[in-house]
Amino acid sequence: MEKTKLIPHLDGWRGIAISAVLIAHFCPRLNSSWIGELGVQLFFVLSGYLMSNLLFIKKVDLASFFWRRLARVLPTFVLYVLTMAVYASITGTPPQLDEILATLTFLRTYLPAHIDIWNSGWAIGNLWSLNVEEHSYIYLAAVALIARWSSNKSTLLLLLAASIAAILTVLLYYPSHPPAGAANWDLRTECAALGLIAAATIRVVKHDFHFSMGRIESAIAIGSVIFAALCYSTYQHKGVHLTMAPIALAIGINFLDKAPRLINALLSSRQLCWIGTCSFSVYLWQQPFYLAVKTGEIPEWLGFGIAMLIGVASYYLLENPARKRLNQIQPTIASKDSNIRLPAKQA
């Protein structure tokens, strides 16, 4: 199988996303919470674009797909959750066992329903977005499996289009009929995954139909991101940040390669790519220091500095080494099943 190429401007997109979250969390005087929401959605559409490329275009085997996702996420995630649980037990009320188990299995957005994820006494509120991504990976893998079994070439697009329609229906239904759960309805996967699924769908459409819109593609790339930012900043009170903004960003990520050279040069800059590379660890470990800043326990500059230091250290000392090691042992594990096809190493 063809080896996945590294695309610098996508790391830069990821760098913009984590920077937006950090600005929202550690510069509260800017009154910029919407920037953080936009940043999380930038992560979602990027994940949808990349996962679509792996599952629907390169058609990697599902064992390899899940192994590599877990190799990247689990070591740092498990350490973070257990560390926060221990810290909460020492400094306050220890989290309940069902809370810890729900968190470790990416179900904390839903369970336990009587304990709000934001007011549970430990720093796990940021994990709602990780729940959305992991649930979406499972869902997209199931869609890929059905499409591979089907002899109808239209099956994949029909399933993805139906998924988008279902999410939009839920987004219209929930405001008047909010479900019970550990988080607000707009943070649940069936709502928050719109941009991720839309990005995956557009990626497939562009690949299958090979269409080109010429110079207008550059305007689409820029205009869609600007429109999404306006949805979050100016028109959020109308609710369009939940519907139109994710779809706009899904369009933007799919036309990003056609953006002006200056923009792609900025996104490909060493600084943005570096922080994008460290973004997962930084996103996890910034949460307790954001909460400390929010409650006035430490100044903003100190919280930001410690968050970055621990996040970067986590990437270099745990996340990246663990991912490499686990990916190296994958062929040994997979080879026990002769029916599992081994792809070339993915980036």
Side-chain angles (χ1 to χ4, degrees):
M1 182 175 292
E2 181 184 357
K3 188 176 180 178
T4 302
K5 294 189 298 182
L6 295 176
I7 305 175
H9 65 252
L10 294 182
D11 270 336
W13 179 282
R14 190 180 284 112
I16 292 289
I18 188 61
S19 297
V21 172
L22 294 173
I23 288 170
H25 283 184
F26 295 101
C27 300
R29 297 173 190 175
L30 296 179
N31 194 24
S32 56
S33 61
W34 68 269
I35 296 179
E37 296 174 27
L38 175 63
V40 172
Q41 196 59 236
L42 290 173
F43 278 123
F44 285 163
V45 298
L46 178 59
S47 290
Y49 176 88
L50 294 173
M51 294 310 106
S52 182
N53 196 52
L54 289 172
L55 289 169
F56 306 137
I57 295 174
K58 292 183 177 297
K59 297 182 179 179
V60 301
D61 62 274
L62 298 187
S64 175
F65 173 78
F66 281 114
W67 180 266
R68 291 181 180 279
R69 302 287 74 71
L70 294 176
R72 181 175 184 269
V73 169
L74 273 190
T76 313
F77 170 72
V78 170
L79 177 63
Y80 176 79
V81 171
L82 296 181
T83 301
M84 292 302 103
V86 170
Y87 181 74
S89 300
I90 295 173
T91 60
T93 304
Q96 299 177 10
L97 179 59
D98 57 348
E99 238 191 305
I100 297 174
L101 292 176
T103 303
L104 289 172
T105 53
F106 305 107
L107 294 173
R108 188 61 187 87
T109 315
Y110 300 88
L111 301 171
H114 64 284
I115 305 176
D116 189 339
I117 189 175
W118 297 104
N119 299 298
S120 58
W122 54 315
I124 57 167
N126 58 328
L127 300 184
W128 74 267
S129 61
L130 190 58
N131 293 348
V132 173
E133 296 218 5
E134 300 308 315
H135 298 165
S136 298
Y137 294 164
I138 295 172
Y139 181 75
L140 289 176
V143 169
L145 189 60
I146 295 171
R148 293 177 196 183
W149 282 346
S150 173
S151 57
N152 189 336
K153 293 183 178 180
S154 303
T155 299
L156 176 58
L157 281 176
L158 288 173
L159 287 171
L160 291 173
S163 301
I164 293 174
I167 295 174
L168 289 172
T169 300
V170 170
L171 283 167
L172 293 174
Y173 178 78
Y174 273 179
S176 58
H177 300 82
N184 197 42
W185 60 266
D186 59 313
L187 303 183
R188 294 162 67 103
T189 301
E190 63 267 31
C191 296
L194 176 60
L196 194 153
I197 303 298
T201 306
I202 297 169
R203 178 73 181 97
V204 172
V205 171
K206 284 194 66 182
H207 177 268
D208 286 357
F209 292 95
H210 306 286
F211 67 83
S212 175
M213 304 175 69
R215 295 182 179 179
I216 195 175
E217 292 182 341
S218 176
I220 292 174
I222 300 173
S224 59
V225 175
I226 294 175
F227 175 77
L230 288 173
C231 288
Y232 276 100
S233 60
T234 306
Y235 300 105
Q236 186 170 136
H237 64 284
K238 296 182 179 295
V240 291
H241 65 297
L242 299 177
T243 53
M244 299 176 70
I247 294 175
L249 288 177
I251 294 171
I253 190 67
N254 274 280
F255 286 93
L256 189 62
D257 59 325
K258 302 300 181 182
R261 289 184 181 179
L262 180 62
I263 291 179
N264 275 325
L266 173 64
L267 290 173
S268 301
S269 66
R270 181 178 302 176
Q271 294 81 5
L272 267 182
C273 288
W274 173 77
I275 193 171
T277 300
C278 301
S279 60
F280 177 66
S281 282
V282 171
Y283 181 75
L284 284 181
W285 293 99
Q286 57 78 38
Q287 187 70 9
F289 305 101
Y290 155 62
L291 294 177
V293 167
K294 186 178 180 181
T295 56
E297 297 175 40
I298 58 175
E300 297 157 16
W301 64 268
L302 181 60
F304 171 76
I306 299 175
M308 283 298 299
L309 181 63
I310 295 180
V312 170
S314 171
Y315 172 77
Y316 285 107
L317 298 178
L318 176 60
E319 179 191 338
N320 196 43
R323 176 182 61 83
K324 288 182 176 180
R325 177 57 182 156
L326 289 171
N327 284 339
Q328 286 173 354
I329 67 174
Q330 178 199 345
T332 303
I333 294 175
S335 63
K336 295 178 180 178
D337 184 350
S338 59
N339 293 321
I340 297 179
R341 177 167 50 89
L342 297 178
K345 184 178 179 182
Q346 301 286 331

